[in-house]
mmCIF file of all heavy atoms in Angstrom:
data_model
loop_
_atom_site.group_PDB
_atom_site.id
_atom_site.type_symbol
_atom_site.label_atom_id
_atom_site.label_comp_id
_atom_site.label_asym_id
_atom_site.label_seq_id
_atom_site.Cartn_x
_atom_site.Cartn_y
_atom_site.Cartn_z
ATOM 1 N N GLU A 642 0.829 -1.200 0.000
ATOM 2 C CA GLU A 642 0.000 0.000 0.000
ATOM 3 C C GLU A 642 0.870 1.260 0.000
ATOM 4 O O GLU A 642 0.576 2.218 -0.705
ATOM 5 C CB GLU A 642 -0.926 0.000 1.221
ATOM 6 C CG GLU A 642 -1.968 -1.098 1.186
ATOM 7 C CD GLU A 642 -2.641 -1.329 2.527
ATOM 8 O OE1 GLU A 642 -2.179 -0.791 3.550
ATOM 9 O OE2 GLU A 642 -3.624 -2.081 2.550
ATOM 10 N N LEU A 643 1.947 1.207 0.775
ATOM 11 C CA LEU A 643 2.857 2.356 0.832
ATOM 12 C C LEU A 643 3.513 2.584 -0.532
ATOM 13 O O LEU A 643 3.623 3.719 -0.989
ATOM 14 C CB LEU A 643 3.919 2.147 1.906
ATOM 15 C CG LEU A 643 4.887 3.302 2.123
ATOM 16 C CD1 LEU A 643 4.143 4.569 2.546
ATOM 17 C CD2 LEU A 643 5.925 2.929 3.168
ATOM 18 N N ALA A 644 3.903 1.496 -1.183
ATOM 19 C CA ALA A 644 4.507 1.623 -2.515
ATOM 20 C C ALA A 644 3.513 2.264 -3.489
ATOM 21 O O ALA A 644 3.890 3.114 -4.299
ATOM 22 C CB ALA A 644 4.953 0.262 -3.025
ATOM 23 N N ALA A 645 2.248 1.870 -3.384
ATOM 24 C CA ALA A 645 1.227 2.450 -4.262
ATOM 25 C C ALA A 645 0.950 3.909 -3.903
ATOM 26 O O ALA A 645 0.664 4.730 -4.776
ATOM 27 C CB ALA A 645 -0.061 1.637 -4.175
ATOM 28 N N ALA A 646 1.050 4.240 -2.626
ATOM 29 C CA ALA A 646 0.738 5.591 -2.163
ATOM 30 C C ALA A 646 1.900 6.559 -2.329
ATOM 31 O O ALA A 646 1.688 7.774 -2.377
ATOM 32 C CB ALA A 646 0.337 5.547 -0.685
ATOM 33 N N GLU A 647 3.103 6.051 -2.428
ATOM 34 C CA GLU A 647 4.289 6.917 -2.394
ATOM 35 C C GLU A 647 4.249 8.103 -3.352
ATOM 36 O O GLU A 647 4.589 9.214 -2.958
ATOM 37 C CB GLU A 647 5.561 6.102 -2.602
ATOM 38 C CG GLU A 647 6.788 6.904 -2.280
ATOM 39 C CD GLU A 647 8.027 6.047 -2.123
ATOM 40 O OE1 GLU A 647 7.930 4.813 -2.091
ATOM 41 O OE2 GLU A 647 9.098 6.655 -2.052
ATOM 42 N N PRO A 648 3.793 7.933 -4.596
ATOM 43 C CA PRO A 648 3.757 9.106 -5.484
ATOM 44 C C PRO A 648 2.817 10.220 -4.985
ATOM 45 O O PRO A 648 3.014 11.383 -5.327
ATOM 46 C CB PRO A 648 3.247 8.541 -6.805
ATOM 47 C CG PRO A 648 3.493 7.076 -6.743
ATOM 48 C CD PRO A 648 3.426 6.706 -5.295
ATOM 49 N N ASP A 649 1.821 9.851 -4.188
ATOM 50 C CA ASP A 649 0.854 10.835 -3.692
ATOM 51 C C ASP A 649 1.253 11.468 -2.367
ATOM 52 O O ASP A 649 0.596 12.403 -1.905
ATOM 53 C CB ASP A 649 -0.522 10.187 -3.540
ATOM 54 C CG ASP A 649 -1.085 9.724 -4.870
ATOM 55 O OD1 ASP A 649 -0.867 10.439 -5.871
ATOM 56 O OD2 ASP A 649 -1.711 8.653 -4.910
ATOM 57 N N ILE A 650 2.287 10.943 -1.733
ATOM 58 C CA ILE A 650 2.693 11.477 -0.429
ATOM 59 C C ILE A 650 3.443 12.785 -0.642
ATOM 60 O O ILE A 650 4.395 12.854 -1.404
ATOM 61 C CB ILE A 650 3.544 10.446 0.338
ATOM 62 C CG1 ILE A 650 2.684 9.215 0.653
ATOM 63 C CG2 ILE A 650 4.103 11.065 1.614
ATOM 64 C CD1 ILE A 650 3.438 8.062 1.260
ATOM 65 N N ARG A 651 2.949 13.802 0.036
ATOM 66 C CA ARG A 651 3.511 15.149 -0.099
ATOM 67 C C ARG A 651 3.231 15.919 1.187
ATOM 68 O O ARG A 651 2.339 15.540 1.968
ATOM 69 C CB ARG A 651 2.883 15.859 -1.294
ATOM 70 C CG ARG A 651 1.381 16.063 -1.152
ATOM 71 C CD ARG A 651 0.700 16.538 -2.426
ATOM 72 N NE ARG A 651 -0.682 16.873 -2.193
ATOM 73 C CZ ARG A 651 -1.670 15.986 -2.006
ATOM 74 N NH1 ARG A 651 -1.418 14.697 -2.023
ATOM 75 N NH2 ARG A 651 -2.917 16.390 -1.806
ATOM 76 N N PRO A 652 3.958 16.993 1.424
ATOM 77 C CA PRO A 652 3.756 17.752 2.665
ATOM 78 C C PRO A 652 2.349 18.317 2.827
ATOM 79 O O PRO A 652 1.903 18.538 3.948
ATOM 80 C CB PRO A 652 4.785 18.887 2.567
ATOM 81 C CG PRO A 652 5.843 18.344 1.675
ATOM 82 C CD PRO A 652 5.124 17.465 0.683
ATOM 83 N N THR A 653 1.625 18.525 1.733
ATOM 84 C CA THR A 653 0.276 19.107 1.830
ATOM 85 C C THR A 653 -0.823 18.056 1.909
ATOM 86 O O THR A 653 -2.006 18.408 1.920
ATOM 87 C CB THR A 653 0.009 20.024 0.622
ATOM 88 O OG1 THR A 653 0.153 19.259 -0.575
ATOM 89 C CG2 THR A 653 0.966 21.208 0.611
ATOM 90 N N LEU A 654 -0.456 16.774 1.974
ATOM 91 C CA LEU A 654 -1.447 15.701 2.057
ATOM 92 C C LEU A 654 -2.282 15.878 3.324
ATOM 93 O O LEU A 654 -1.751 16.091 4.407
ATOM 94 C CB LEU A 654 -0.745 14.337 2.088
ATOM 95 C CG LEU A 654 -1.647 13.107 2.078
ATOM 96 C CD1 LEU A 654 -2.290 12.935 0.716
ATOM 97 C CD2 LEU A 654 -0.840 11.867 2.441
ATOM 98 N N THR A 655 -3.591 15.802 3.181
ATOM 99 C CA THR A 655 -4.485 15.949 4.338
ATOM 100 C C THR A 655 -4.844 14.584 4.898
ATOM 101 O O THR A 655 -4.705 13.560 4.225
ATOM 102 C CB THR A 655 -5.780 16.684 3.955
ATOM 103 O OG1 THR A 655 -6.533 15.849 3.058
ATOM 104 C CG2 THR A 655 -5.490 18.048 3.327
ATOM 105 N N ARG A 656 -5.342 14.593 6.119
ATOM 106 C CA ARG A 656 -5.758 13.340 6.748
ATOM 107 C C ARG A 656 -6.929 12.726 5.979
ATOM 108 O O ARG A 656 -6.999 11.514 5.804
ATOM 109 C CB ARG A 656 -6.143 13.599 8.206
ATOM 110 C CG ARG A 656 -6.433 12.331 8.955
ATOM 111 C CD ARG A 656 -6.601 12.597 10.430
ATOM 112 N NE ARG A 656 -6.776 11.349 11.130
ATOM 113 C CZ ARG A 656 -7.445 11.229 12.249
ATOM 114 N NH1 ARG A 656 -7.981 12.291 12.812
ATOM 115 N NH2 ARG A 656 -7.577 10.062 12.829
ATOM 116 N N ILE A 657 -7.832 13.554 5.509
ATOM 117 C CA ILE A 657 -8.982 13.055 4.738
ATOM 118 C C ILE A 657 -8.493 12.339 3.484
ATOM 119 O O ILE A 657 -8.972 11.253 3.154
ATOM 120 C CB ILE A 657 -9.954 14.205 4.401
ATOM 121 C CG1 ILE A 657 -10.625 14.705 5.684
ATOM 122 C CG2 ILE A 657 -10.979 13.774 3.374
ATOM 123 C CD1 ILE A 657 -11.432 15.969 5.512
ATOM 124 N N GLU A 658 -7.522 12.945 2.773
ATOM 125 C CA GLU A 658 -6.972 12.307 1.572
ATOM 126 C C GLU A 658 -6.282 10.986 1.922
ATOM 127 O O GLU A 658 -6.453 9.993 1.215
ATOM 128 C CB GLU A 658 -5.956 13.230 0.895
ATOM 129 C CG GLU A 658 -6.542 14.464 0.251
ATOM 130 C CD GLU A 658 -5.474 15.406 -0.243
ATOM 131 O OE1 GLU A 658 -4.498 15.685 0.489
ATOM 132 O OE2 GLU A 658 -5.615 15.879 -1.390
ATOM 133 N N ALA A 659 -5.504 10.985 2.999
ATOM 134 C CA ALA A 659 -4.782 9.775 3.402
ATOM 135 C C ALA A 659 -5.755 8.664 3.781
ATOM 136 O O ALA A 659 -5.577 7.507 3.392
ATOM 137 C CB ALA A 659 -3.837 10.082 4.558
ATOM 138 N N LYS A 660 -6.799 9.013 4.536
ATOM 139 C CA LYS A 660 -7.792 8.007 4.932
ATOM 140 C C LYS A 660 -8.545 7.473 3.707
ATOM 141 O O LYS A 660 -8.812 6.273 3.613
ATOM 142 C CB LYS A 660 -8.776 8.584 5.949
ATOM 143 C CG LYS A 660 -8.231 8.675 7.336
ATOM 144 C CD LYS A 660 -9.298 9.232 8.271
ATOM 145 C CE LYS A 660 -9.084 8.743 9.654
ATOM 146 N NZ LYS A 660 -9.710 7.512 10.019
ATOM 147 N N ALA A 661 -8.886 8.353 2.784
ATOM 148 C CA ALA A 661 -9.600 7.925 1.576
ATOM 149 C C ALA A 661 -8.735 6.985 0.746
ATOM 150 O O ALA A 661 -9.210 5.949 0.258
ATOM 151 C CB ALA A 661 -10.013 9.139 0.751
ATOM 152 N N PHE A 662 -7.456 7.326 0.584
ATOM 153 C CA PHE A 662 -6.558 6.465 -0.175
ATOM 154 C C PHE A 662 -6.420 5.112 0.524
ATOM 155 O O PHE A 662 -6.503 4.063 -0.117
ATOM 156 C CB PHE A 662 -5.176 7.109 -0.333
ATOM 157 C CG PHE A 662 -4.229 6.229 -1.094
ATOM 158 C CD1 PHE A 662 -4.236 6.230 -2.474
ATOM 159 C CD2 PHE A 662 -3.376 5.363 -0.437
ATOM 160 C CE1 PHE A 662 -3.397 5.396 -3.190
ATOM 161 C CE2 PHE A 662 -2.536 4.525 -1.134
ATOM 162 C CZ PHE A 662 -2.540 4.538 -2.524
ATOM 163 N N LYS A 663 -6.242 5.144 1.826
ATOM 164 C CA LYS A 663 -6.081 3.916 2.608
ATOM 165 C C LYS A 663 -7.313 3.017 2.467
ATOM 166 O O LYS A 663 -7.193 1.823 2.244
ATOM 167 C CB LYS A 663 -5.854 4.297 4.072
ATOM 168 C CG LYS A 663 -5.440 3.173 4.956
ATOM 169 C CD LYS A 663 -5.126 3.750 6.332
ATOM 170 C CE LYS A 663 -4.556 2.711 7.234
ATOM 171 N NZ LYS A 663 -4.206 3.272 8.536
ATOM 172 N N LYS A 664 -8.473 3.624 2.556
ATOM 173 C CA LYS A 664 -9.718 2.866 2.432
ATOM 174 C C LYS A 664 -9.838 2.253 1.035
ATOM 175 O O LYS A 664 -10.208 1.090 0.885
ATOM 176 C CB LYS A 664 -10.911 3.782 2.717
ATOM 177 C CG LYS A 664 -12.227 3.072 2.801
ATOM 178 C CD LYS A 664 -13.321 4.045 3.211
ATOM 179 C CE LYS A 664 -14.628 3.326 3.403
ATOM 180 N NZ LYS A 664 -15.690 4.226 3.859
ATOM 181 N N ARG A 665 -9.506 3.027 0.030
ATOM 182 C CA ARG A 665 -9.567 2.553 -1.349
ATOM 183 C C ARG A 665 -8.609 1.381 -1.570
ATOM 184 O O ARG A 665 -8.968 0.365 -2.146
ATOM 185 C CB ARG A 665 -9.237 3.720 -2.285
ATOM 186 C CG ARG A 665 -9.697 3.576 -3.686
ATOM 187 C CD ARG A 665 -9.564 4.866 -4.519
ATOM 188 N NE ARG A 665 -8.271 5.529 -4.448
ATOM 189 C CZ ARG A 665 -8.042 6.681 -3.822
ATOM 190 N NH1 ARG A 665 -9.014 7.311 -3.213
ATOM 191 N NH2 ARG A 665 -6.844 7.211 -3.810
ATOM 192 N N VAL A 666 -7.391 1.507 -1.101
ATOM 193 C CA VAL A 666 -6.380 0.470 -1.304
ATOM 194 C C VAL A 666 -6.696 -0.769 -0.480
ATOM 195 O O VAL A 666 -6.582 -1.893 -0.969
ATOM 196 C CB VAL A 666 -4.971 1.009 -0.949
ATOM 197 C CG1 VAL A 666 -3.939 -0.086 -0.986
ATOM 198 C CG2 VAL A 666 -4.585 2.111 -1.906
ATOM 199 N N GLN A 667 -7.107 -0.589 0.758
ATOM 200 C CA GLN A 667 -7.374 -1.732 1.615
ATOM 201 C C GLN A 667 -8.652 -2.460 1.233
ATOM 202 O O GLN A 667 -8.801 -3.633 1.538
ATOM 203 C CB GLN A 667 -7.417 -1.300 3.080
ATOM 204 C CG GLN A 667 -6.042 -0.905 3.574
ATOM 205 C CD GLN A 667 -6.058 -0.407 5.006
ATOM 206 O OE1 GLN A 667 -7.080 0.001 5.544
ATOM 207 N NE2 GLN A 667 -4.887 -0.426 5.617
ATOM 208 N N GLY A 668 -9.544 -1.780 0.545
ATOM 209 C CA GLY A 668 -10.772 -2.427 0.114
ATOM 210 C C GLY A 668 -10.629 -3.130 -1.218
ATOM 211 O O GLY A 668 -11.592 -3.646 -1.765
ATOM 212 N N ALA A 669 -9.425 -3.201 -1.734
ATOM 213 C CA ALA A 669 -9.191 -3.766 -3.064
ATOM 214 C C ALA A 669 -9.173 -5.285 -3.091
ATOM 215 O O ALA A 669 -8.978 -5.866 -4.137
ATOM 216 C CB ALA A 669 -7.874 -3.217 -3.629
ATOM 217 N N GLY A 670 -9.360 -5.943 -1.972
ATOM 218 C CA GLY A 670 -9.378 -7.402 -1.973
ATOM 219 C C GLY A 670 -8.517 -7.962 -0.863
ATOM 220 O O GLY A 670 -8.094 -7.263 0.040
ATOM 221 N N ALA A 671 -8.249 -9.250 -0.961
ATOM 222 C CA ALA A 671 -7.468 -9.944 0.057
ATOM 223 C C ALA A 671 -6.032 -9.406 0.050
ATOM 224 O O ALA A 671 -5.506 -9.039 -0.996
ATOM 225 C CB ALA A 671 -7.463 -11.438 -0.213
ATOM 226 N N PRO A 672 -5.401 -9.398 1.217
ATOM 227 C CA PRO A 672 -4.025 -8.915 1.253
ATOM 228 C C PRO A 672 -3.108 -9.849 0.468
ATOM 229 O O PRO A 672 -3.295 -11.065 0.483
ATOM 230 C CB PRO A 672 -3.676 -8.926 2.747
ATOM 231 C CG PRO A 672 -4.674 -9.789 3.408
ATOM 232 C CD PRO A 672 -5.889 -9.817 2.520
ATOM 233 N N PRO A 673 -2.123 -9.299 -0.224
ATOM 234 C CA PRO A 673 -1.198 -10.134 -0.978
ATOM 235 C C PRO A 673 -0.316 -10.962 -0.044
ATOM 236 O O PRO A 673 -0.170 -10.640 1.137
ATOM 237 C CB PRO A 673 -0.359 -9.127 -1.771
ATOM 238 C CG PRO A 673 -0.537 -7.833 -1.075
ATOM 239 C CD PRO A 673 -1.859 -7.901 -0.362
ATOM 240 N N ALA A 674 0.261 -12.011 -0.565
ATOM 241 C CA ALA A 674 1.113 -12.892 0.225
ATOM 242 C C ALA A 674 2.280 -12.135 0.843
ATOM 243 O O ALA A 674 2.769 -12.508 1.909
ATOM 244 C CB ALA A 674 1.618 -14.043 -0.636
ATOM 245 N N SER A 675 2.718 -11.064 0.202
ATOM 246 C CA SER A 675 3.843 -10.285 0.729
ATOM 247 C C SER A 675 3.485 -9.599 2.046
ATOM 248 O O SER A 675 4.362 -9.147 2.775
ATOM 249 C CB SER A 675 4.306 -9.252 -0.289
ATOM 250 O OG SER A 675 3.278 -8.325 -0.550
ATOM 251 N N ASP A 676 2.180 -9.522 2.379
ATOM 252 C CA ASP A 676 1.753 -8.915 3.644
ATOM 253 C C ASP A 676 1.849 -9.895 4.804
ATOM 254 O O ASP A 676 1.642 -9.508 5.949
ATOM 255 C CB ASP A 676 0.316 -8.407 3.544
ATOM 256 C CG ASP A 676 0.226 -7.063 2.851
ATOM 257 O OD1 ASP A 676 1.270 -6.512 2.463
ATOM 258 O OD2 ASP A 676 -0.895 -6.580 2.707
ATOM 259 N N ARG A 677 2.128 -11.151 4.519
ATOM 260 C CA ARG A 677 2.170 -12.170 5.570
ATOM 261 C C ARG A 677 3.088 -11.788 6.727
ATOM 262 O O ARG A 677 2.673 -11.842 7.887
ATOM 263 C CB ARG A 677 2.553 -13.527 4.985
ATOM 264 C CG ARG A 677 2.526 -14.651 5.989
ATOM 265 C CD ARG A 677 2.750 -16.013 5.299
ATOM 266 N NE ARG A 677 2.903 -17.081 6.256
ATOM 267 C CZ ARG A 677 1.932 -17.586 6.992
ATOM 268 N NH1 ARG A 677 0.712 -17.090 6.863
ATOM 269 N NH2 ARG A 677 2.149 -18.540 7.844
ATOM 270 N N PRO A 678 4.344 -11.375 6.480
ATOM 271 C CA PRO A 678 5.199 -10.984 7.614
ATOM 272 C C PRO A 678 4.621 -9.814 8.413
ATOM 273 O O PRO A 678 4.708 -9.789 9.636
ATOM 274 C CB PRO A 678 6.526 -10.592 6.960
ATOM 275 C CG PRO A 678 6.520 -11.270 5.631
ATOM 276 C CD PRO A 678 5.080 -11.341 5.224
ATOM 277 N N ALA A 679 4.029 -8.856 7.709
ATOM 278 C CA ALA A 679 3.430 -7.716 8.405
ATOM 279 C C ALA A 679 2.244 -8.158 9.254
ATOM 280 O O ALA A 679 2.056 -7.679 10.371
ATOM 281 C CB ALA A 679 3.003 -6.646 7.406
ATOM 282 N N LEU A 680 1.448 -9.084 8.725
ATOM 283 C CA LEU A 680 0.310 -9.593 9.490
ATOM 284 C C LEU A 680 0.773 -10.385 10.712
ATOM 285 O O LEU A 680 0.175 -10.282 11.788
ATOM 286 C CB LEU A 680 -0.595 -10.452 8.597
ATOM 287 C CG LEU A 680 -1.385 -9.688 7.542
ATOM 288 C CD1 LEU A 680 -2.075 -10.659 6.584
ATOM 289 C CD2 LEU A 680 -2.408 -8.768 8.193
ATOM 290 N N ILE A 681 1.838 -11.138 10.559
ATOM 291 C CA ILE A 681 2.389 -11.894 11.684
ATOM 292 C C ILE A 681 2.882 -10.928 12.761
ATOM 293 O O ILE A 681 2.631 -11.133 13.951
ATOM 294 C CB ILE A 681 3.503 -12.853 11.209
ATOM 295 C CG1 ILE A 681 2.882 -13.987 10.374
ATOM 296 C CG2 ILE A 681 4.299 -13.413 12.384
ATOM 297 C CD1 ILE A 681 3.887 -14.856 9.645
ATOM 298 N N LYS A 682 3.569 -9.852 12.348
ATOM 299 C CA LYS A 682 4.022 -8.847 13.308
ATOM 300 C C LYS A 682 2.836 -8.173 13.992
ATOM 301 O O LYS A 682 2.854 -7.922 15.194
ATOM 302 C CB LYS A 682 4.882 -7.793 12.601
ATOM 303 C CG LYS A 682 6.293 -8.246 12.306
ATOM 304 C CD LYS A 682 7.044 -7.217 11.497
ATOM 305 C CE LYS A 682 7.569 -6.123 12.365
ATOM 306 N NZ LYS A 682 8.457 -5.205 11.617
ATOM 307 N N ARG A 683 1.780 -7.896 13.201
ATOM 308 C CA ARG A 683 0.599 -7.248 13.772
ATOM 309 C C ARG A 683 -0.062 -8.154 14.806
ATOM 310 O O ARG A 683 -0.464 -7.698 15.883
ATOM 311 C CB ARG A 683 -0.383 -6.908 12.655
ATOM 312 C CG ARG A 683 -1.617 -6.207 13.160
ATOM 313 C CD ARG A 683 -2.515 -5.773 12.033
ATOM 314 N NE ARG A 683 -3.684 -5.127 12.576
ATOM 315 C CZ ARG A 683 -4.875 -5.134 11.995
ATOM 316 N NH1 ARG A 683 -5.021 -5.701 10.830
ATOM 317 N NH2 ARG A 683 -5.892 -4.540 12.557
ATOM 318 N N ILE A 684 -0.169 -9.443 14.492
ATOM 319 C CA ILE A 684 -0.754 -10.398 15.447
ATOM 320 C C ILE A 684 0.066 -10.433 16.727
ATOM 321 O O ILE A 684 -0.477 -10.421 17.834
ATOM 322 C CB ILE A 684 -0.879 -11.799 14.809
ATOM 323 C CG1 ILE A 684 -1.982 -11.785 13.735
ATOM 324 C CG2 ILE A 684 -1.153 -12.867 15.867
ATOM 325 C CD1 ILE A 684 -2.023 -13.021 12.869
ATOM 326 N N ALA A 685 1.404 -10.453 16.583
ATOM 327 C CA ALA A 685 2.276 -10.455 17.763
ATOM 328 C C ALA A 685 2.070 -9.190 18.585
ATOM 329 O O ALA A 685 1.990 -9.238 19.824
ATOM 330 C CB ALA A 685 3.732 -10.597 17.341
ATOM 331 N N ARG A 686 1.969 -8.039 17.907
ATOM 332 C CA ARG A 686 1.752 -6.772 18.612
ATOM 333 C C ARG A 686 0.407 -6.784 19.326
ATOM 334 O O ARG A 686 0.291 -6.372 20.484
ATOM 335 C CB ARG A 686 1.831 -5.598 17.638
ATOM 336 C CG ARG A 686 1.645 -4.236 18.297
ATOM 337 C CD ARG A 686 1.728 -3.077 17.311
ATOM 338 N NE ARG A 686 0.899 -3.212 16.134
ATOM 339 C CZ ARG A 686 -0.410 -2.950 16.082
ATOM 340 N NH1 ARG A 686 -1.040 -2.552 17.159
ATOM 341 N NH2 ARG A 686 -1.078 -3.086 14.956
ATOM 342 N N LEU A 687 -0.626 -7.284 18.641
ATOM 343 C CA LEU A 687 -1.952 -7.338 19.258
ATOM 344 C C LEU A 687 -1.986 -8.298 20.439
ATOM 345 O O LEU A 687 -2.634 -8.022 21.456
ATOM 346 C CB LEU A 687 -3.005 -7.719 18.206
ATOM 347 C CG LEU A 687 -3.278 -6.648 17.148
ATOM 348 C CD1 LEU A 687 -4.151 -7.212 16.031
ATOM 349 C CD2 LEU A 687 -3.918 -5.417 17.759
ATOM 350 N N ARG A 688 -1.265 -9.430 20.323
ATOM 351 C CA ARG A 688 -1.177 -10.361 21.459
ATOM 352 C C ARG A 688 -0.485 -9.703 22.635
ATOM 353 O O ARG A 688 -0.889 -9.885 23.784
ATOM 354 C CB ARG A 688 -0.440 -11.631 21.032
ATOM 355 C CG ARG A 688 -1.290 -12.541 20.189
ATOM 356 C CD ARG A 688 -0.572 -13.831 19.860
ATOM 357 N NE ARG A 688 -1.460 -14.701 19.085
ATOM 358 C CZ ARG A 688 -1.056 -15.521 18.145
ATOM 359 N NH1 ARG A 688 0.235 -15.635 17.857
ATOM 360 N NH2 ARG A 688 -1.923 -16.261 17.487
#
């Protein structure tokens, strides 16, 4: 998601824009396999 968002990241980016982009990207379907390590870290953090 960060790789996809990087071209849009700028000092004038608003929270509304960031949340909208995040919602759009995260609603695009199941997380890719490359997210597995991040999900494992998130589970550990939540535990």
Side-chain angles (χ1 to χ4, degrees):
E642 293 165 349
L643 183 60
E647 192 165 351
D649 296 323
I650 295 173
R651 62 190 187 286
T653 58
L654 184 71
T655 67
R656 186 171 184 208
I657 292 171
E658 291 173 314
K660 282 181 152 271
F662 179 84
K663 190 175 186 178
K664 188 175 184 177
R665 201 170 49 251
V666 173
Q667 291 177 340
S675 63
D676 280 359
R677 184 173 172 72
L680 289 171
I681 290 170
K682 282 175 81 172
R683 181 175 179 210
I684 289 169
R686 181 180 50 80
L687 291 170
R688 284 184 178 146

